[in-house]
Amino acid sequence: MSLTEIVVPVRNEERTLVASIHRLHDYLVRNFPYPFLITIAENGSVDSTREVAAALARRFPEVSFVSFDGRGRGLALRRAWAASRADVVSYMDADLSIDLDGFLPLVAPLASGHSDLAIGTRHARGASVRRSLHRSVLSRTYNLILRIVLGVSFSDAQCGFKAGRREVVQAILPTVHDDQWFFDTELLCVAQRQGLRIHEVPVDCLDDPDTSVDIRRTVWDMLRGVVRVAGRRMRGSLVKPLPPHLERPRLPTGRIHRFLRFAAVGTVTGVLHLLLYLGFRTMMPALAANGLGLLLATVLNTAANRRITFGVRTRRDMLRHQARGAVAFLLGLVCISASLLAVGPGAGRAVELCVLLIGDAFASLLRFALMQHWVFARSRPEEGEEAAR
C-alpha cells in the first residue's frame, strides 16, 4: 500500500503543536487506510517548538522531526519533500484549520495514479468556510489575479492542504524558486504548465483568528511572486522536460482538429496582414506594402502554429522552423503578388483587398501542407497525440 507522508511545517508553535499532532495522529490511526508518516518540519523557531517536536517524535513511532536553518514554509516543504521516500507527500498547516475528513479524498486519486497533485479548495461548490470577510476577500481577489495574469485553472492556490505523488513533486521542485508563502502557488503554476493533472477537493475550513501571519507582507510577497512567475512564463523558463514515465498521456487529435487550429491562427494573422497592408499602403506601393505586411504576419503565424497547432513548446529548432516558414512566406508572396500584378495598378482598394483574401486562402492551404509534412514534421508530437496542454 502507498506510504503517505504528511509534513507539518512549524515555526513558533509551542502552544498548539502537541494538541494538533495528537489530534492528527489519532485521526489517521482510526480513519486513514494507508500507512502514514507525520513529519514535523521546524524552521526558524525562537521558542521551544524544537523540544516539543522532538518529544512528540519520541512518543509516536509514526511521527518524525526535522529542523532546518532558515525560515519559510516553502523552504521546509521543499527540503522535507526532497528527502522523502514516501509514495505520496502532503502537507497541512499546524493549526489543522481544514477538516481532516477531506484528507482521504485528497490522497486517494494520487495513490491510485489518477492525478499528480491534489489541493483542498475553499472556493468550490461543496466547501464550507468560516473566516473573516477581510481574509475571504483577499483570498478570492488573489486567486482572481492568478486567473487573469497567469491563466491558472485551479481555484484555491493558498489553502494549506495539498498533496502530490512524490516522484512528480520531486521532479518539478527544482523549477520552483520561492521558499516562502508563494511556494504553493508557484508549485501549482509549474504543474499546470507541465500538463500535470491537479485534483481539487472541496474542504471545510475554520480559520484561526489568532494567526501570527503578517497579512500585509504576505500579500506583497505573493504579488511579487505573480510578477516573477509571469516573467518566467514569457521567457519560457517556467517548465523543464519531465522524465518520460511522468509525462501524461495526451488526448488524441486528428488532422481535422489540427486544421481547425491552423485556420483559427490563420484567420487572426490574415486580419493582421490586411491591417498591416492598409497601413503600409499609405506609404509605399502595393507590392511593397503586401510584402512587408505578409512578412510580419507570417513570422507571427509560424510562431503561433508552432505552439498552438503542432504543439512544439521547446525552443529547440525555433530558427529552423522560422526559416522553413519563410519558404511558405515566399511561396505565398509569389502567389499573391502575381495576383496583384494581374489586377493592375488602376484597380480600386476593394478589388485589391478581395485579391488579397483569395490569395491568402490559397497560400494558407499551401502553408498547412508544408507545415504538416515538412516544417514541423520532425518536431511535433506523434500523430494521434494532443499537443496543446
Side-chain angles (χ1 to χ4, degrees), residues 199-249:
H199 178 71
E200 296 197 4
V201 178
V203 295
D204 298 335
C205 173
L206 176 61
D207 272 354
D208 181 4
D210 298 323
T211 178
S212 60
V213 176
D214 186 337
I215 300 295
R216 291 185 179 180
R217 181 176 179 181
T218 301
V219 169
W220 173 245
D221 288 343
M222 288 181 177
L223 292 177
R224 289 173 55 195
V226 171
V227 173
R228 178 169 50 80
V229 168
R232 290 181 61 198
R233 280 187 59 185
M234 294 177 63
R235 295 191 301 271
S237 63
L238 192 60
V239 297
K240 295 181 181 179
L242 291 173
H245 71 285
L246 297 181
E247 291 280 356
R248 275 282 169 193

Side-chain angles (χ1 to χ4, degrees), residues 82-147:
S84 177
R85 291 295 178 266
D87 301 290
V88 174
V89 294
S90 64
Y91 96 89
M92 57 184 67
D93 291 333
D95 61 4
L96 301 186
S97 59
I98 305 299
D99 191 322
L100 294 176
D101 283 341
F103 189 62
L104 180 56
L106 190 80
V107 170
L110 307 175
S112 68
H114 173 271
S115 299
D116 300 301
L117 283 88
I119 64 173
T121 175
R122 299 159 294 186
H123 304 317
R125 181 176 298 178
S128 176
V129 181
R130 291 179 60 187
R131 62 193 323 204
S132 68
L133 177 62
H134 174 66
R135 297 190 67 177
S136 180
V137 170
L138 283 177
S139 177
R140 289 187 177 276
T141 301
Y142 175 66
N143 284 283
L144 178 62
I145 291 173
L146 293 179
R147 286 178 177 271

Side-chain angles (χ1 to χ4, degrees), residues 270-294 296 349 352-353 356:
V271 171
L272 176 62
H273 173 213
L274 292 179
L275 294 175
L276 291 171
Y277 172 81
L278 290 174
F280 294 142
R281 187 66 178 87
T282 62
M283 301 178 288
M284 58 187 69
L287 291 180
N290 173 65
L292 184 56
L294 186 58
L296 295 175
R349 292 292 167 82
E352 290 181 356
L353 289 177
L356 282 177

Side-chain angles (χ1 to χ4, degrees), residues 16-92:
T16 61
L17 187 57
V18 171
S20 292
I21 296 301
H22 272 263
R23 177 185 162 200
L24 175 60
H25 180 270
D26 291 347
Y27 180 88
L28 294 174
V29 168
R30 293 196 313 268
N31 301 289
F32 195 64
Y34 303 114
F36 67 89
L37 170 66
I38 300 171
T39 299
I40 306 171
E42 188 279 329
N43 59 103
S45 296
V46 295
D47 60 5
S48 61
T49 296
R50 292 185 183 88
E51 291 74 15
V52 172
L56 288 167
R58 290 192 296 269
R59 178 169 185 176
F60 298 109
E62 298 90 356
V63 176
S64 66
F65 163 60
V66 291
S67 182
F68 303 114
D69 295 331
R71 295 183 176 185
R73 180 175 70 180
L75 173 70
L77 292 176
R78 177 193 302 279
R79 294 185 178 178
W81 283 349
S84 177
R85 291 295 178 266
D87 301 290
V88 174
V89 294
S90 64
Y91 96 89
M92 57 184 67

